[in-house]
Amino acid sequence: MSGELLAKGYEPHEVEKRCYASWIEQGLFSAEETSDKKPYSIVIPPPNVTGVLHMGHALNNTLQDLLCRYRRLKGDNVLWMPGTDHAGIATQNVVEKKLAAEGRTRHEVGREAFIDEVWKWKEESGNAIFKQLKRMGASCDWDRERFTMDDGLSEAVRKVFVDLYKKGLIYRGNYIINWCPRCNTALADLEVEHEDKPGKLYHLKYPFADGSGHFVVATTRPETMFGDTAVAVNPEDDRYKGITATHVKLPLTDREIPIIRDEYVDLEFGTGALKVTPAHDPNDFELGKKHNLESLKVMTDEGVMNDGAGAFEGLTREACREAAVKALDEQGYLVKVEDHPHSVGHCYRCKTVIEPNLSQQWFVKVKPLAEKAIAAVEDGRTRIIPEHWTKTYYEWMYNIRDWCISRQIWWGHRIPVWTCDECGMDIVEETDPTVCPGCGSTHLTQDTDVLDTWFSSALWPFSTMGWPENTDLLKTFYPTSTLVTGFDILFFWVARMMMMGLHFMDEVPFKDVYIHALVRDEEGKKMSKSKGNVIDPLTVSDEYGTDAFRFTLTAFAAQGRDVKMSLARVEGYRHFINKIWNAARFSFMHLEQPHTEIDYANISLADRWILARLAETTAKVEEAIDTYKFNEAAAALYSFVWHSFCDWYLEASKPALYGKMGDAAMESTRSVLYRVLHDTLILLHPIIPFVSEEIYSKLPGTEGSIMKASWPVCAEFAAHGADAVAEKEMESVIAVISGLRNIRSEMNIAPSLELTVEVQAETEEMAALVNREKSTIMTLSRLASCEVKLTGERPKGVGTAIVEGAAVYVFLEGVVDFDREIERLEKSIAKSEKAVAGLEGKLNNQGFISKAPADVVAKFQAQHDEAKDKLDKLAFTLQKLKDVQSN
């Protein structure tokens, strides 16, 4: 299009809204089902349908978007598949609360009507997070949006369940699982939130049945003792090797339970004697299976003691603990009680303390599936990045337990198992059965449980592309290229996708898994509402613009390091966005038409240098993104734009652009400026899509969106002198200018004052270079004159800067009032010394250090360091002035 002058200031909100609407209208996010282009695909980690955007989502989706935009610019056919997870427990809780506000319960409403209520809620409120992701610039293929409960995915879930069941990989059995007494359902490990809580360790006396003595057993949960079926000790424990008793009497009951020996028992914890309660502890459950112990369930699913608790039947678990401890004390069984802080699991939705519960559930036998998933990482078909997560993946996979996939709720994929009411036969088919194949009865009852949410999301990479049909989309984009996810679901989701993908597609679901870290607050603390340190991504975008926020997230997304987010950092990168905008405004003043052909015969050293820097930056950014070192891509771009392009090249190009060097130089510089600005916008686009689009759309000669542009290829630059020689020569020129600027700053010389300078070069080559570039040096350093000589005697009354290959001298006579400046510096030094002494007094006061909060001490330390640095600089400048005066 024809060039347009940019507005004076960048106003992100109007631009963001307009650009995103334009991208959608043009269909620029859409993938082609069949294409000659190289396919690149990402499936979004589906956010819960109940979810709202948080910092983790913002980081995760910014990095995914960066990868997708980058690959489009590289010419790939990109599919970024969006979708949401039905989030069984979370969504059911939301709708139950809605019903409660209306004075109704789900049981009153009934199962079918309740599910209708959930679907209604989903349609009205379930996609809020997608609107928020669009605010972040997410370039998902929104026309292909999927939902884990839509028809296609439900068909895939049904087929997978039936296949695994018929291959003997799904079974029903009693197992110890996480149980929420309030939600009345099993929970996945990930759905349990652990929190350190103050607690007690109760030491209880368990008498030997033969009267020869007793064990002292330590437990945090005396209310479960009624389900004890053994006491275990380590066979290597010297304290118990001489014991001949075989049983103990279980306090508060009339039962005797056996003494077993097992190396599992920790010699260091408590007394070394462990009460074994298989129905109420997962580790005890495994111990019980090993020793063929009975599993006695003494609590109902609602967390109330049952008849197995004897006289304590009907008490809540909390009330039972209190009553049992009192009875144990009265009967002489309570030895002592100690404070014992420990981790307590809570339901991630309702925050109720979870109960390990023996229950009949459906399970996937995962070891055969896990073996293939392990092998796929071992042989490199799937890479985990950063690599250190691979070891964690292996450890978990080698020790994997069967997966409990049933949930006792209503919202979700109902388990496709029917039981014949007449003969008890289980029927598992892809279509609903109407007749029992065993006895011919038509009285069939479907299992009331639903599948774990992770079951359907484990199929996400292929079910979203149309499986079980062999669609063109599936053929083109599976296996996917990259998965971007947090480490917290490496096992619960990533590993399960690996297992399911390999089993049903015979290929890994993704080639690369990039694990990003957490976003924490600026002090490195985890964000939480209780701490009051949560930063809302949308508020940040409103305040600073989405591009500034995205650049901040990218700049701090270093592999293996958590992102420390602060608004001050976002503010800093807003300045960077404004810097780009202002640089473009200046450039547009000189680019009224396209300048697409570079006149290499007339380009200056500054032109050659910036082209070399552009080529180097392009290569750095490309390598950084390809290796998931996103922070290095951001750092390379920041350095190039702020320092190379804005601070140096634009300033150095002004004489040519303003016609002071002749028409040929002006035209050649315009052609270089055009190419550098054009390519830099493309390099920036994956990270900051909005401002890059807005500037690019107004750049003369561009057609259509920047998303249709091609990634820069800079190979031709080197053939025309834009190479390492140009970089080294320009670095020497920059060093001379920087030396002059340092002298001006140190001597407190006004910027407007023109200086007289002598440069003494060590070689003829350096002298020739300075002479060739004298115009640039004089313009950027504001000099009246600049004489170039080979190394000789140091002139008198000069400020000096030594750079590689030359000494730079600034004549100060008549420029600096030495006596007055020395007096000013000495006063400033005295004031600074007083400030430093005062701060050192505070920091050396042990009474203050021991009592003051850590953040207050840190604040004083920072003030001291800053004051000391200022003092050192003042003293250095004073000495330099005195040295010049004495010469």
Side-chain angles (χ1 to χ4, degrees):
M1 64 176 293
S2 60
E4 298 178 36
L5 287 179
L6 296 175
K8 186 173 182 180
Y10 176 57
E11 296 295 336
H13 306 303
E14 185 274 330
V15 169
E16 289 168 14
K17 187 175 180 180
R18 175 165 42 79
C19 284
Y20 201 89
S22 175
W23 292 330
I24 292 288
E25 184 181 346
Q26 296 177 65
L28 296 179
F29 303 159
S30 299
E32 300 172 40
E33 290 197 359
T34 57
S35 172
D36 293 334
K37 297 178 183 177
K38 179 182 175 183
Y40 182 87
S41 55
I42 291 180
V43 291
I44 198 170
N48 286 356
V49 72
T50 59
V52 292
L53 192 72
H54 57 61
M55 274 293 170
H57 291 132
L59 173 63
N60 181 281
N61 286 278
T62 293
L63 298 182
Q64 290 180 80
D65 189 57
L66 186 162
L67 288 167
C68 290
R69 289 179 183 274
Y70 167 69
R71 296 311 313 185
R72 290 189 190 100
L73 293 168
K74 294 283 282 185
D76 292 358
N77 179 22
V78 175
L79 170 66
W80 184 11
M81 179 70 77
T84 47
D85 190 286
H86 65 276
I89 295 173
T91 308
Q92 179 157 314
N93 276 350
V94 168
V95 179
E96 282 196 77
K97 286 178 182 176
K98 179 175 177 288
L99 289 177
E102 299 167 1
R104 298 186 292 165
T105 69
R106 67 179 166 107
H107 297 286
E108 291 169 349
V109 169
R111 185 167 190 145
E112 288 188 17
F114 177 77
I115 291 172
D116 288 342
E117 287 283 342
V118 181
W119 277 110
K120 182 181 175 184
W121 175 89
K122 190 262 179 189
E123 294 307 313
E124 291 174 354
S125 310
N127 286 335
I129 195 166
F130 279 166
K131 295 174 184 176
Q132 295 165 338
L133 288 175
K134 290 173 183 177
R135 281 283 315 278
M136 290 294 298
S139 58
C140 296
D141 191 342
W142 297 111
D143 291 336
R144 290 193 166 93
E145 181 186 325
R146 302 305 299 268
F147 177 53
T148 49
M149 289 278 287
D150 68 26
D151 290 341
L153 270 71
S154 295
E155 180 187 348
V157 167
R158 183 81 166 259
K159 183 175 181 63
V160 166
F161 186 96
V162 172
D163 178 277
L164 293 176
Y165 178 85
K166 292 189 172 181
K167 288 178 178 174
L169 294 174
I170 284 182
Y171 65 93
R172 181 164 48 192
N174 283 319
Y175 208 81
I176 193 112
I177 42 87
N178 302 310
W179 182 266
C180 175
R182 184 262 171 211
C183 296
N184 252 278
T185 185
L187 297 174
D189 289 344
L190 186 62
E191 294 165 338
V192 178
E193 295 179 344
H194 291 273
E195 187 178 346
D196 289 335
K197 292 279 191 180
K200 302 290 183 184
L201 190 62
Y202 302 89
H203 292 254
L204 310 178
K205 191 185 295 184
Y206 279 45
F208 296 148
D210 62 7
S212 61
H214 64 266
F215 283 130
V216 174
V217 170
T219 179
T220 59
R221 305 192 65 213
E223 70 276 13
T224 64
M225 64 181 291
F226 305 105
D228 290 357
T229 53
V231 171
V233 294
N234 194 306
E236 300 302 316
D237 196 329
D238 292 335
R239 291 170 290 184
Y240 305 124
K241 281 185 176 179
I243 290 174
T244 58
T246 59
H247 288 72
V248 296
K249 292 180 178 179
L250 183 60
L252 308 185
T253 75
D254 57 3
R255 288 196 293 122
E256 292 184 3
I257 57 177
I259 298 168
I260 62 172
R261 286 171 166 77
D262 196 287
E263 292 178 352
Y264 165 76
V265 180
D266 187 351
L267 293 167
E268 304 299 324
F269 180 75
T271 64
L274 175 74
K275 64 189 281 297
V276 183
T277 321
H280 293 280
D281 182 277
N283 296 315
D284 291 3
F285 178 77
E286 297 295 337
L287 202 56
K289 282 204 303 183
K290 182 177 178 182
H291 291 272
N292 296 312
L293 299 176
E294 185 181 5
S295 292
L296 294 178
K297 190 171 174 179
V298 297
M299 216 177 285
T300 69
D301 289 347
E302 290 73 30
V304 175
M305 308 309 294
N306 65 18
D307 58 1
F312 301 93
E313 181 182 3
L315 295 179
T316 65
R317 50 187 173 161
E318 296 83 5
C320 180
R321 178 180 302 181
E322 187 177 337
V325 169
K326 183 180 179 184
L328 288 163
D329 188 22
E330 290 172 349
Q331 296 180 37
Y333 293 114
L334 182 62
V335 177
K336 64 177 178 178
V337 181
E338 296 176 325
D339 289 332
H340 180 70
H342 60 124
S343 181
V344 178
H346 296 75
C347 173
Y348 79 119
R349 279 295 152 194
C350 70
K351 310 307 177 188
T352 301
V353 174
I354 64 105
E355 187 66 43
N357 190 24
L358 187 64
S359 177
Q360 189 174 75
Q361 302 286 344
W362 288 95
F363 295 89
V364 174
K365 194 181 293 181
V366 291
K367 279 203 176 294
L369 303 173
E371 288 168 2
K372 291 182 181 179
I374 292 168
V377 174
E378 286 177 335
D379 63 24
R381 279 175 287 161
T382 291
R383 296 188 306 157
I384 300 175
I385 304 148
E387 202 275 333
H388 69 262
W389 285 110
T390 305
K391 181 182 177 184
T392 313
Y393 171 85
Y394 288 145
E395 287 174 355
W396 192 80
M397 293 295 275
Y398 279 120
N399 295 289
I400 197 168
R401 297 195 307 178
D402 285 356
W403 173 17
C404 176
I405 56 171
S406 45
R407 297 290 181 270
Q408 291 67 49
I409 57 175
W410 290 352
W411 173 243
H413 295 101
R414 194 164 173 181
I415 289 179
V417 177
W418 283 258
T419 302
C420 176
D421 297 341
E422 300 296 331
C423 70
M425 181 180 184
D426 283 339
I427 305 148
V428 182
E429 297 295 344
E430 289 186 40
T431 55
D432 294 2
T434 55
V435 177
C436 173
C439 68
S441 172
T442 58
H443 298 290
L444 309 177
T445 302
Q446 186 177 0
D447 196 301
T448 57
D449 288 355
V450 300
L451 287 165
D452 175 16
T453 297
W454 298 103
F455 191 90
S456 50
S457 59
L459 319 180
W460 191 248
F462 54 93
S463 64
T464 52
M465 296 186 194
W467 187 90
E469 299 298 322
N470 189 23
T471 63
D472 287 338
L473 201 66
L474 196 63
K475 286 184 277 189
T476 298
F477 290 109
Y478 189 93
T480 65
S481 308
T482 306
L483 179 76
V484 180
T485 187
F487 64 84
D488 53 341
I489 53 174
L490 174 60
F491 318 119
F492 305 103
W493 185 46
V494 178
R496 286 166 180 169
M497 285 191 288
M498 288 286 287
M499 291 187 282
M500 293 298 190
L502 285 161
H503 184 80
F504 288 98
M505 298 296 297
D506 202 30
E507 281 190 276
V508 294
F510 20 71
K511 295 166 187 173
D512 287 346
V513 178
Y514 175 72
I515 309 290
H516 63 75
L518 290 174
V519 183
R520 298 181 179 271
D521 72 8
E522 59 187 310
E523 295 177 358
K525 296 175 183 175
K526 188 174 180 179
M527 291 187 189
S528 71
K529 290 180 181 178
S530 61
K531 293 177 184 173
N533 63 346
V534 172
I535 302 174
D536 180 0
L538 298 180
T539 301
V540 178
S541 286
D542 288 342
E543 178 71 20
Y544 301 100
T546 299
D547 283 331
F549 183 33
R550 285 174 58 118
F551 202 95
T552 308
L553 289 167
T554 308
F556 288 94
Q559 287 185 13
R561 288 211 308 269
D562 288 339
V563 176
K564 293 183 179 179
M565 175 58 59
S566 74
L567 297 182
R569 285 173 170 161
V570 186
E571 171 75 30
Y573 287 115
R574 179 169 65 178
H575 295 322
F576 176 63
I577 303 299
N578 289 336
K579 186 89 168 177
I580 295 167
W581 185 263
N582 290 332
R585 286 189 75 241
F586 170 81
S587 301
F588 277 26
M589 291 164 56
H590 305 279
L591 301 174
E592 295 176 359
Q593 61 187 25
H595 299 268
T596 53
E597 296 297 324
I598 296 176
D599 181 7
Y600 286 107
N602 287 299
I603 62 174
S604 67
L605 173 61
D607 291 332
R608 288 163 51 215
W609 170 75
I610 197 65
L611 291 174
R613 289 288 296 117
L614 175 62
E616 181 184 351
T617 301
T618 301
K620 280 183 178 178
V621 172
E622 192 167 338
E623 182 183 6
I625 296 176
D626 285 343
T627 56
Y628 305 100
K629 295 174 181 174
F630 301 107
N631 62 310
E632 293 183 10
L637 286 166
Y638 185 93
S639 176
F640 175 76
V641 171
W642 194 291
H643 302 298
S644 301
F645 184 58
C646 295
D647 286 355
W648 290 108
Y649 179 69
L650 291 183
E651 293 302 314
S653 67
K654 283 179 179 177
L657 292 173
Y658 288 128
K660 295 180 180 179
M661 313 295 289
D663 290 346
M666 180 169 64
E667 186 56 35
S668 64
T669 297
R670 282 176 172 174
S671 66
V672 172
L673 175 61
Y674 184 93
R675 177 65 180 274
V676 173
L677 179 60
H678 176 276
D679 287 8
T680 299
L681 292 170
I682 296 171
L683 296 180
L684 287 165
H685 178 73
I687 306 177
I688 48 175
F690 295 110
V691 70
S692 57
E693 175 72 88
E694 181 70 358
I695 297 171
Y696 183 89
S697 69
K698 291 180 168 56
L699 187 65
T702 58
E703 292 184 8
S705 168
I706 193 172
M707 289 184 65
K708 293 183 177 180
S710 297
W711 189 256
V713 177
C714 308
E716 83 269 19
F717 295 163
H720 300 282
D723 53 21
V725 173
E727 287 204 75
K728 184 168 179 55
E729 287 184 346
M730 190 64 184
E731 283 169 9
S732 295
V733 172
I734 288 172
V736 171
I737 296 168
S738 298
L740 290 166
R741 288 176 174 176
N742 287 341
I743 293 170
R744 188 184 288 273
S745 174
E746 289 165 1
M747 300 300 172
N748 199 29
I749 301 170
S752 59
L753 197 63
E754 293 188 336
L755 303 175
T756 300
V757 169
E758 181 178 301
V759 178
Q760 294 189 3
E762 295 176 4
T763 63
E764 293 281 359
E765 291 79 12
M766 183 65 175
L769 172 63
V770 175
N771 270 318
R772 279 200 313 271
E773 301 303 318
K774 188 184 290 186
S775 173
T776 298
I777 292 169
M778 291 182 68
T779 300
L780 269 62
S781 306
R782 198 161 183 79
L783 305 183
S785 67
C786 177
E787 186 176 0
V788 183
K789 299 179 178 179
L790 290 175
T791 301
E793 289 187 14
R794 179 177 183 272
K796 293 183 180 294
V798 292
T800 306
I802 304 300
V803 301
E804 186 178 352
V808 181
Y809 301 114
V810 174
F811 292 90
L812 299 177
E813 189 173 346
V815 173
V816 176
D817 184 333
F818 287 96
D819 291 337
R820 185 175 177 182
E821 189 62 18
I822 287 171
E823 181 183 358
R824 183 188 70 81
L825 286 169
E826 286 175 340
K827 286 181 180 178
S828 295
I829 287 170
K831 187 176 179 181
S832 290
E833 284 175 339
K834 186 175 180 182
V836 169
L839 290 164
E840 285 179 346
K842 274 275 191 191
L843 293 168
N844 291 330
N845 183 340
Q846 289 305 311
F848 167 73
I849 295 295
S850 62
K851 292 177 183 178
D855 59 334
V856 173
V857 175
K859 182 180 177 182
F860 275 105
Q861 184 65 55
Q863 288 175 349
H864 169 270
D865 294 345
E866 185 179 345
K868 184 68 168 61
D869 183 57
K870 180 181 177 181
L871 177 61
D872 291 343
K873 287 178 179 177
L874 289 168
F876 174 78
T877 302
L878 176 63
Q879 188 58 51
K880 290 198 79 168
L881 270 174
K882 288 181 176 179
D883 290 344
V884 172
Q885 190 180 39
S886 65
N887 289 334

